[in-house]
Amino acid sequence: MAFAIKLSYHKRLFLISFAFLWSIILCFIGFQYLREKQYKSDFLRAQLHLYNQHLLEIIEDGYPFEEYIAEHQKPFDDLRISIISLSGNVVFDNMLPVDSLDNHLNRPEIIDAINKGAGYRIGRQSASDGREYFYSATRGENSIARTAIPYSASLKELLRADRTFIGIMITISLIMSILAYFVTRRLGKNIERLNRFAAKAEKGQSFDEEEEFPKDELGSISRHIVQLYAQLQQTIKDRDRAHQAAIREEQEKIRIKRQLTNNINHELKTPVASIQVCLETLLSSINLSDEKRQELIGRCYTHNERLRRLLTDVSLITRMEDGSSLIEKERVNINDIIAEISEEMGIMPEDERMNLIANFPEEVVIEGNISLIGSIFRNLTENAMSYSEGKNIYISLLENSPSECKIRFEDDGRGVEPEQLPRLFERFYRVDKGRSRKKGGTGLGLAIVKHAVLFHGGTIIAANRPSGGLRFDFTLRKTQTTPIS
């Protein structure tokens, strides 16, 4: 182990490459040797198989096969030929008497011939004469032709693979080993140079001009390492900035929630105080007339209704902000929602309602939440009826494309001051605070409208009508919704 540590990187790399190279070479030589030997065996078997098939054709055609065997040239000298029945009995053998031969049904090549049509064995010792043969057997319809070549020195030499390529491969391997030595030496020097560079970089030492990295792949990698380090430092800075931005965003969310909590507390004070005063008066021993008692009870109910609406609106905004992914979506027909609102307005007292004029020349269906979409139109309608002092509400379809629809909601009332337009969608913002509370508003209606539009992937803009009144232009995505951030 101590010796291995003392070896330079170049020498260790060369030894590993040398061992790997020669392992592959030796495996290839062995594989090539066996493959060539197998090829020669298959070639010899094919020749014997062709002779067997020809012999079987002569037998099946009824020609005297003994004369054919004796007169015609054989593919190999000293070729032993046997004709065997399918039951394993030797019918003919050109070298041994038939009556001296036992049943051949248990011979391996005969078994393969019967089962597969052909079979052969290399170097099997004959049970009849004790010699080793190269057997090849082929099955016909009624008999089996088997040929065999004595496994002599000439046959062994024929089957032996050519060893010339082994010498060629060894020569090539030696040349490759020499080339590998020089390649690994150059690579090792560059690695050692990179190691010295890393050591100096760790200590913060300066670098001489001679310590430049070579203008090759390794040098390019080294320069990339320096660039990647610089990029890493920049990434860390960007990450820190993003982290600070996330902290600021989280702090802003906390501030908004705290502000919302404070606003809610402020909004709750008036109705709670009024309810408390009314209840204390009712519970006191003061004699009150029935008319005064009913008035106090009515005030309690009015303020309680305001509290209920406030809690409902806050719950709706919170659900859109914190659980938008849990809100169910379905196919919603906007025409039906507008028609339903129109019917609701039709049964209201005449002095409280406005005329709703809808201009929807075609059916508009989107994928969304029916409750939230309904809250858009209802809150805009309630806002117009409560504060516009107008007579008519106009709802128009401006655009209806496959991806989105654009809708305009407007009234013919008095509108608002231009500087107040950007703040209309703020929570608890009121143009006329005293008047809004008298109307029972929670200050969250238009905030709910904006959140519902954003939930459905749209945008909303408020503006004054040139002829008087307030106008809201908003879009709704039909198939894709954008969660509220």
Side-chain angles (χ1 to χ4, degrees), residues 44 76-79 122-124 131-135 148-160:
L44 178 61
F76 299 97
D77 296 335
D78 205 14
L79 181 67
I122 301 175
R124 185 179 69 79
R131 299 173 64 185
E132 288 188 4
Y133 287 91
F134 183 103
Y135 288 98
I149 305 174
Y151 204 67
S152 58
S154 59
L155 181 59
K156 292 179 181 179
E157 184 65 26
L158 175 65
L159 294 177
R160 184 177 292 115

Side-chain angles (χ1 to χ4, degrees), residues 35 102 118 126 251 319 400 482 484:
R35 190 178 70 168
D102 57 357
S126 173
Q251 290 174 346
R319 186 160 63 103
N400 186 28
T482 302
I484 299 173

Side-chain angles (χ1 to χ4, degrees), residues 377-431:
F377 291 95
R378 282 188 170 86
N379 278 294
L380 290 175
T381 301
E382 291 176 3
N383 183 77
M385 289 192 299
S386 299
Y387 312 118
S388 70
E389 298 181 359
K391 296 182 179 180
N392 300 301
I393 293 175
Y394 306 95
I395 304 178
S396 306
L397 178 63
L398 302 182
E399 182 181 342
N400 186 28
S401 67
S403 60
E404 67 177 13
C405 63
K406 185 175 182 180
I407 300 173
R408 172 170 290 174
F409 186 103
E410 53 189 347
D411 60 69
D412 58 358
R414 59 191 178 95
V416 299
E417 297 297 327
E419 60 271 12
Q420 294 177 326
L421 288 172
R423 302 191 61 188
L424 286 180
F425 299 106
E426 292 182 10
R427 299 167 184 173
F428 299 107
Y429 179 77
R430 294 180 173 89
V431 176

Side-chain angles (χ1 to χ4, degrees), residues 80 96 101-104 106-110 120-136 146 148-152 155-156:
R80 180 181 173 185
L96 297 175
L101 301 175
D102 57 357
N103 191 282
H104 281 41
N106 61 346
R107 301 296 196 271
E109 66 277 6
I110 301 301
Y120 76 100
R121 284 295 182 276
I122 301 175
R124 185 179 69 79
Q125 187 176 18
S126 173
S128 302
D129 60 6
R131 299 173 64 185
E132 288 188 4
Y133 287 91
F134 183 103
Y135 288 98
S136 176
R146 187 187 72 174
I149 305 174
Y151 204 67
S152 58
L155 181 59
K156 292 179 181 179

Side-chain angles (χ1 to χ4, degrees), residues 334-388:
I334 295 180
N335 304 65
D336 294 342
I337 293 178
I338 296 175
E340 183 178 343
I341 294 175
S342 179
E343 292 178 2
E344 293 173 359
M345 293 179 65
I347 61 176
M348 294 176 65
E350 188 174 353
D351 58 340
E352 295 181 7
R353 69 186 181 192
M354 297 176 68
N355 296 322
L356 194 153
I357 303 171
N359 181 20
F360 263 62
E362 54 186 295
E363 187 178 59
V364 180
V365 178
I366 71 170
E367 182 182 352
N369 183 271
I370 188 170
S371 176
L372 295 182
I373 295 176
S375 70
I376 295 174
F377 291 95
R378 282 188 170 86
N379 278 294
L380 290 175
T381 301
E382 291 176 3
N383 183 77
M385 289 192 299
S386 299
Y387 312 118
S388 70

Side-chain angles (χ1 to χ4, degrees), residues 179-312:
L179 293 175
Y181 173 80
F182 289 104
V183 172
T184 54
R185 185 177 68 171
R186 174 178 173 83
L187 181 60
K189 288 183 177 180
N190 291 337
I191 293 294
E192 291 171 359
R193 183 177 299 175
L194 180 60
N195 186 38
R196 291 195 299 271
F197 161 78
K200 290 186 177 182
E202 183 180 7
K203 296 177 182 178
Q205 298 177 356
S206 60
F207 307 105
D208 300 330
E209 293 297 329
E210 297 178 356
E211 295 296 328
E212 288 184 358
F213 291 105
K215 295 182 179 180
D216 56 12
E217 288 79 2
L218 182 59
S220 176
I221 292 173
S222 302
R223 288 188 292 272
H224 286 160
I225 290 175
V226 176
Q227 295 175 0
L228 288 174
Y229 178 76
Q231 293 175 4
L232 176 62
Q233 293 297 101
Q234 185 63 37
T235 301
I236 292 175
K237 293 179 181 178
D238 294 341
R239 182 202 62 186
D240 293 340
R241 284 197 295 267
H243 182 65
Q244 293 297 327
I247 292 176
R248 288 194 297 270
E249 182 179 355
E250 186 65 26
Q251 290 174 346
E252 180 66 15
K253 288 182 178 179
I254 294 174
R255 186 192 66 79
I256 293 175
K257 288 185 178 180
R258 186 182 295 114
Q259 183 182 17
L260 176 62
T261 302
N262 293 335
N263 289 336
I264 292 174
N265 290 334
H266 179 72
E267 292 295 326
L268 290 175
K269 284 181 181 179
T270 300
V272 169
S274 298
I275 292 174
Q276 184 175 0
V277 169
C278 292
L279 291 176
E280 288 176 352
T281 303
L282 289 170
L283 293 173
S284 67
S285 59
I286 300 175
N287 294 324
L288 299 174
S289 63
D290 292 340
E291 183 179 354
K292 188 63 175 180
R293 189 180 300 273
Q294 286 297 118
E295 180 185 350
L296 293 175
I297 294 175
R299 288 182 183 179
C300 288
Y301 177 81
T302 301
H303 290 300
N304 180 75
E305 183 65 16
R306 181 180 171 191
L307 287 176
R308 184 191 65 79
R309 294 182 60 185
L310 176 63
L311 294 176
T312 300

Side-chain angles (χ1 to χ4, degrees), residues 137-190:
T138 305
R139 186 190 69 186
E141 291 186 3
N142 302 313
S143 58
I144 298 172
R146 187 187 72 174
T147 51
I149 305 174
Y151 204 67
S152 58
S154 59
L155 181 59
K156 292 179 181 179
E157 184 65 26
L158 175 65
L159 294 177
R160 184 177 292 115
D162 187 6
R163 297 181 180 178
T164 305
F165 81 97
I166 297 178
I168 296 174
M169 290 300 299
I170 292 175
T171 303
I172 295 175
S173 301
L174 290 173
I175 296 173
M176 293 178 65
S177 299
I178 296 172
L179 293 175
Y181 173 80
F182 289 104
V183 172
T184 54
R185 185 177 68 171
R186 174 178 173 83
L187 181 60
K189 288 183 177 180
N190 291 337

